[in-house]
Amino acid sequence: MTKKPMTDSSNHLDKIKKSLSRRNRAEKRFRWYGRMAVFVGLAAVMVLFTDIISKGHGAFRITYVELQVTYDQDMIGVENLTDPAQLALGDWEALSKAALRNEFGDVSGRRDKRKLYGLISSGAGYDLKDRLLANPLLLGETENVWILADDDIDTYYKSWLDGEPYAARMSAKQIQWIDELHAQGKIRLQFNSNLFTRGDSREPEQAGIRGAVMGSLLVLILTLMLSFPIGVSAAIYLEEFAPRNRWTDFIEVNINNLAAVPSIIFGLLGLAIFINFFHVPRSVPIVGGLVLTLMTLPTIIITSRAAIKSVPPSIREAAMGMGASKSQVVLHHVLPLSLPGMLTGAIIGMAQALGESAPLLMIGMVAFIVDIPAGFSDPATVLPVQIFLWADSPERAFIEKTSAAIMVLLSFLIVMNTVAVWLRKRLERRW
Amino acid sequence: MTQAAPVTKKKPVSKTTPKPMQNLEITDHQATVGKCFADNAKMTMRNVNVFYDDKQAIHDVSIDIAKNEVIAMIGPSGCGKSTFLRSLNRMNDTVDICRVEGQICMDGEDLYSPKLDVVELRARVGMVFQKPNPFPKSIYENVAYGPKIHGLADTRVDLDEIVENSLRKASLWEEVKERLHQAGTGLSGGQQQRLCIARAIAVSPEVILMDEPCSALDPIATARIEELIEELSQNFTIAIVTHSMQQAARVSHRTAYFHLGRLIEVNPTEQVFTMPEHQLTEAYITGRFG
Ligand SMILES: Nc1ncnc2c1ncn2[C@@H]1O[C@H](COP(=O)(O)OP(=O)(O)O)[C@@H](O)[C@H]1O
Ligand SMILES: [Mg+2]
């Protein structure tokens, strides 16, 4: 009687040991699959980031040329510096052109002159005007000014500094002038503040993302203001108040379906409803916000419902047992406890909306807009669409600008997602 | 449930205590044995049936709960004790599929009449749950919640007083008075349950329902709660569901035995545990099922 179980159990032990090594191996293999998957993912991200950064980092610096400018009133042709009408008509470019002729005295002939004037940005005259208006005492004086170079010069100078000069759009004269400037220390790279302070422009050296960032901000504010309250209310109603019946089942299925609809469909919907039917103007943040609200609502409803569901029923029972009414239970207990989850969902929804371009193309937010939008009804574009526009531009200098804009967009997204994760970690409760 | 089989098997045993009216098989028209009714009834229930959808969880229960008594509800799990208890403060209203029939009155007032506001009812009939469920707020906020939503305190001083008194009555004051503004969820399990009791008595209910209040607690915490129940019984009427017969024996004046949704026997606690009238009760307290 006693012997048999003994042999039995030692037999068992052998079997267990054998199966154990097999299981351990399977375990190890499994862990390696996981590691490999993570590695592939990380590698893809690394490749993407290095590509974007290597292409885009150059855009944060831009070429300036130092010239001696004389603020000659006759040359500008303005009699009264305080009269805006006259200021607008003034020939400000004459100042920078004169400065160039002054620098390279031996230039003659229309061709060469055009090449010479092509060294600096066509907007340089307006920069000089701003300088003069900021300090009217300069009138009649002469000073050395760092003037923004043309984008072709910028591209050439940067590539030349890197040792692989790209001279496709440069004349021999221009190359020679730049050599001279370089030798005298009159050409250099500076921080490209225009990138962050200006709107879009046909001239790459003057183009900035400020307009697109403002557009994105306005669109996102509107989207958040609409979709968060609506989404949260819908989630609360469906989760806490609505009866469980065929109608609510139907609604639930359709919300889930809506979350899976390609975003361009929302753009078409917005075009048909908001623009064609309600006659909301095109290209404005109002219509962009409305369309993105449609798009993010399902996400916010679904995450909010999940957050509400995660509040333990015992809390509801406790409150109800104390005599709290249904809406008191929701307002005093369920909502505060599920708010972190809802906010996380909202941020993720906003990040989605921030990265969205397709539906906005449908509603005309793809127009070329120079002015920085100041309100919800000013024509605007958004960051991803700006990226799309720049990527489509023929000028070589837009390549690095495109990557720089992508870097800015990615940093916004990373910040938003980090905040979402942090919020979830920080406010997540255990009970 | 599993009881059905052993019950019928035990039938021959019944010859040891032959009592004519009683049968270990439950019939549809079985009356409860013992002393169901009281002269000074706080709550009266007559022919109460509770259904979950079409499944009946409580069959034709009639019972009185006397003023200031502690009545214990015992019985095998799934026999409907919780369901019955929750019908006393209409917590079953929150379950969509639940339907209550029959008459439940407190001080002669029909609790299920459409005129009655369930918010008021729950202020008069407090409840303590199986698992301690303090709000994830401060200890103070937990106790102050009821008085706040019912508007019982006019000033902050009043509220402070209510909180202190309730915590004292729940014999928790000494342990928490230094940390009233720390989270209630940071207390030990037993302290949390006493906090829940303090929260319930903060609105001065007339009746307190307790659904297995000690089942999640260790023996020492359990003993403290039992002491507390005894003290509270001077001011409140208490109905307690328990799976522990010892607990029922220690804290209650009367004990009601439920079986498969029926109220089998109600008698003074001493009698139930020494001379049960019904054989099902006897079978249960002697541990033949449960
Ligand atoms: N919410 C519910 N929905 C459906 N059936 C329920 C629900 N709650 C309890 N029941 C059923 O009612 C019966 C009694 O349950 P309950 O009152 O919880 O028993 P006890 O508290 O005595 O263990 C059980 O059969 C249980 O399955
Ligand atoms: Mg129960």
Side-chain angles (χ1 to χ4, degrees):
Chain A
M1 254 320 252
T2 47
K3 247 188 170 175
K4 217 182 160 204
M6 283 274 281
T7 51
D8 252 12
S9 71
S10 61
N11 247 342
H12 275 174
L13 264 180
D14 278 351
K15 277 186 190 159
I16 289 172
K17 272 190 187 132
K18 238 183 254 160
S19 82
L20 204 61
S21 64
R22 186 156 33 83
R23 270 185 286 174
N24 282 344
R25 256 179 288 132
E27 198 103 337
K28 235 182 227 157
R29 232 179 303 135
F30 193 73
R31 226 168 292 161
W32 271 107
Y33 292 149
R35 279 186 199 142
M36 257 145 66
V38 171
F39 176 77
V40 169
L42 277 181
V45 170
M46 288 303 289
V47 168
L48 180 78
F49 273 53
T50 39
D51 178 60
I52 289 170
I53 292 174
S54 68
K55 275 192 194 141
H57 75 278
F60 296 103
R61 283 151 71 75
I62 198 159
T63 311
Y64 279 81
V65 176
E66 192 182 32
L67 294 175
Q68 205 174 46
V69 178
T70 306
Y71 297 95
D72 186 338
Q73 192 161 8
D74 294 340
M75 214 185 278
I76 306 167
V78 173
E79 271 158 34
N80 182 0
L81 274 184
T82 53
D83 180 2
Q86 285 194 26
L87 287 179
L89 290 173
D91 185 7
W92 300 95
E93 265 197 292
L95 294 182
S96 52
K97 284 179 181 168
L100 279 167
R101 284 196 306 271
N102 180 35
E103 180 74 33
F104 305 100
D106 54 342
V107 180
S108 57
R110 272 183 57 189
R111 259 186 93 96
D112 279 356
K113 272 194 180 149
R114 231 192 30 239
K115 283 289 172 199
L116 179 66
Y117 300 153
L119 283 182
I120 58 171
S121 168
S122 56
Y126 298 104
D127 293 347
L128 291 176
K129 169 183 148 195
D130 292 342
R131 260 184 101 78
L132 180 60
L133 291 185
N135 184 7
L137 290 179
L138 284 173
L139 195 62
E141 302 291 319
T142 302
E143 68 163 351
N144 284 342
V145 188
W146 285 98
I147 293 178
L148 191 59
D150 185 71
D151 61 304
D152 288 332
I153 308 300
D154 179 55
T155 306
Y156 168 76
Y157 187 59
K158 278 177 185 161
S159 59
W160 182 78
L161 284 179
D162 287 343
E164 309 161 28
Y166 174 84
R169 292 174 58 82
M170 303 282 290
S171 72
K173 270 262 166 60
Q174 281 182 319
I175 291 176
Q176 186 200 326
W177 289 328
I178 287 177
D179 280 346
E180 281 173 29
L181 285 171
H182 184 74
Q184 299 170 45
K186 287 184 170 175
I187 184 167
R188 71 172 187 201
L189 293 180
Q190 280 185 20
F191 176 68
N192 183 5
S193 56
N194 287 344
L195 185 63
F196 300 100
T197 55
R198 294 196 177 177
D200 198 6
S201 169
R202 293 283 182 224
E203 305 298 332
E205 76 274 9
Q206 294 175 48
I209 55 170
R210 179 75 173 272
V213 169
M214 280 304 291
S216 278
L217 193 70
L218 290 168
V219 168
L220 279 194
I221 288 174
L222 197 68
T223 307
L224 186 66
M225 276 183 348
L226 289 174
S227 64
F228 193 65
I230 298 176
V232 168
S233 316
I236 289 176
Y237 178 74
L238 288 173
E239 211 47 58
E240 297 283 335
F241 294 98
R244 294 263 171 279
N245 58 26
R246 266 186 308 164
W247 278 108
T248 43
D249 284 350
F250 178 75
I251 290 172
E252 170 150 17
V253 167
N254 277 292
I255 288 173
N256 291 336
N257 284 343
L258 225 48
V261 167
S263 57
I264 194 150
I265 308 288
F266 288 108
L268 285 169
L269 188 73
L271 179 65
I273 294 179
F274 300 128
I275 294 179
N276 291 346
F277 189 75
F278 286 110
H279 300 292
V280 181
R282 284 167 177 271
S283 310
V284 298
I286 295 174
V287 66
L290 288 171
V291 165
L292 291 181
T293 298
L294 291 180
M295 201 197 78
T296 46
L297 255 184
T299 312
I300 292 187
I301 294 178
I302 291 169
T303 49
S304 297
R305 288 186 74 175
I308 293 171
K309 272 203 190 95
S310 75
V311 175
S314 64
I315 302 284
R316 289 188 185 82
E317 281 206 315
M320 231 124 51
M322 290 305 302
S325 66
K326 188 88 201 179
S327 55
Q328 283 176 326
V329 172
V330 170
L331 287 178
H332 298 166
H333 302 283
V334 176
L335 199 57
L337 292 176
S338 51
L339 207 54
M342 291 173 171
L343 285 178
T344 310
I347 294 174
I348 289 170
M350 287 306 109
Q352 242 176 36
L354 174 61
E356 200 57 69
S357 57
L360 300 178
L361 300 184
M362 301 310 302
I363 52 164
M365 292 198 79
V366 66
F368 170 72
I369 291 150
V370 177
D371 293 329
I372 292 162
F376 293 104
S377 52
D378 292 348
T381 187
V382 293
L383 256 182
V385 174
Q386 185 70 77
I387 290 166
F388 168 78
L389 286 170
W390 282 354
D392 222 24
S393 298
E395 289 88 348
R396 194 181 165 87
F398 272 127
I399 295 177
E400 58 178 25
K401 289 238 147 55
T402 307
S403 291
I406 293 174
M407 280 157 76
V408 172
L409 178 61
L410 278 180
S411 15
F412 278 130
L413 291 176
I414 290 171
V415 167
M416 287 170 89
N417 286 323
T418 313
V419 169
V421 170
W422 174 81
L423 202 65
R424 195 165 44 200
K425 280 255 162 65
R426 170 88 215 275
L427 296 170
E428 147 181 288
R429 285 169 198 270
R430 287 166 230 294
W431 31 75
Chain B
M1 303 244 107
T2 51
Q3 293 87 332
V7 166
T8 38
K9 243 190 265 162
K10 290 278 149 51
K11 205 174 174 185
V13 183
S14 69
K15 66 179 181 285
T16 51
T17 48
K19 283 172 191 165
M21 280 296 292
Q22 293 162 17
N23 191 325
L24 280 171
E25 279 179 87
I26 305 171
T27 63
D28 240 2
H29 302 290
Q30 176 154 28
T32 308
V33 301
K35 300 181 180 62
C36 311
F37 306 117
D39 295 335
N40 56 341
K42 181 73 192 167
M43 301 189 93
T44 57
M45 283 132 265
R46 294 294 178 269
N47 310 101
V48 173
N49 291 296
V50 183
F51 302 84
Y52 290 108
D53 260 344
D54 46 3
K55 182 172 167 259
Q56 193 165 0
I58 293 290
H59 296 259
D60 200 27
V61 167
S62 299
I63 188 173
D64 286 352
I65 298 177
K67 282 204 176 73
N68 284 33
E69 81 165 334
V70 178
I71 182 165
M73 256 70 86
I74 60 170
S77 71
C79 68
K81 307 179 296 288
S82 298
T83 304
F84 178 71
L85 197 71
R86 290 162 60 92
S87 64
L88 298 181
N89 69 342
R90 291 184 52 178
M91 277 301 274
N92 282 335
D93 289 12
T94 61
V95 182
D96 286 339
I97 55 171
C98 187
R99 200 172 84 245
V100 179
E101 283 175 3
Q103 197 184 39
I104 304 181
C105 295
M106 178 161 64
D107 296 330
E109 192 183 349
D110 184 2
L111 298 187
Y112 282 78
S113 112
K115 273 180 295 181
L116 181 127
D117 194 331
V118 56
V119 164
E120 183 204 321
L121 168 65
R122 298 210 182 118
R124 294 173 66 192
V125 182
M127 186 155 196
V128 176
F129 296 84
Q130 187 163 354
K131 203 177 134 243
N133 56 355
F135 300 129
K137 303 184 180 201
S138 73
I139 294 169
Y140 184 95
E141 286 293 326
N142 263 281
V143 183
Y145 185 68
K148 267 189 194 164
I149 58 171
H150 295 298
L152 300 183
D154 294 327
T155 63
R156 182 78 190 183
V157 180
D158 285 354
L159 194 60
D160 288 349
E161 199 180 307
I162 293 176
V163 169
E164 175 172 348
N165 281 339
S166 311
L167 285 169
R168 277 190 197 284
K169 281 188 205 150
S171 64
L172 190 60
W173 175 252
E174 293 302 325
E175 290 157 69
V176 301
K177 64 180 177 193
E178 304 296 336
R179 46 170 171 158
L180 284 178
H181 297 285
Q182 288 174 23
T185 40
L187 297 172
S188 75
Q191 288 173 325
Q192 285 189 18
Q193 196 61 301
R194 275 181 283 145
L195 177 60
C196 292
I197 292 174
R199 180 176 67 187
I201 60 185
V203 294
S204 311
E206 297 151 43
V207 181
I208 303 174
L209 311 174
M210 299 185 176
D211 191 350
E212 307 198 19
C214 302
S215 64
L217 305 182
D218 62 66
I220 292 170
T222 302
R224 293 210 59 174
I225 303 263
E226 286 177 5
E227 266 169 44
L228 180 57
I229 292 171
E230 202 159 325
E231 281 165 35
L232 292 176
S233 69
Q234 291 165 7
N235 300 312
F236 304 97
T237 303
I238 297 174
I240 177 171
V241 166
T242 173
H243 63 262
S244 151
M245 283 177 274
Q246 290 87 335
Q247 184 167 69
R250 281 192 297 263
V251 302
S252 70
H253 306 134
R254 274 197 309 162
T255 297
Y257 175 66
F258 283 80
H259 191 99
L260 292 182
R262 285 185 168 78
L263 180 55
I264 303 296
E265 172 171 352
V266 188
N267 263 322
T269 299
E270 237 184 64
Q271 188 189 338
V272 170
F273 289 104
T274 51
M275 286 182 301
E277 252 180 76
H278 200 289
Q279 284 181 318
L280 278 170
T281 318
E282 190 190 354
Y284 180 71
I285 62 169
T286 53
R288 270 185 270 164
F289 50 74

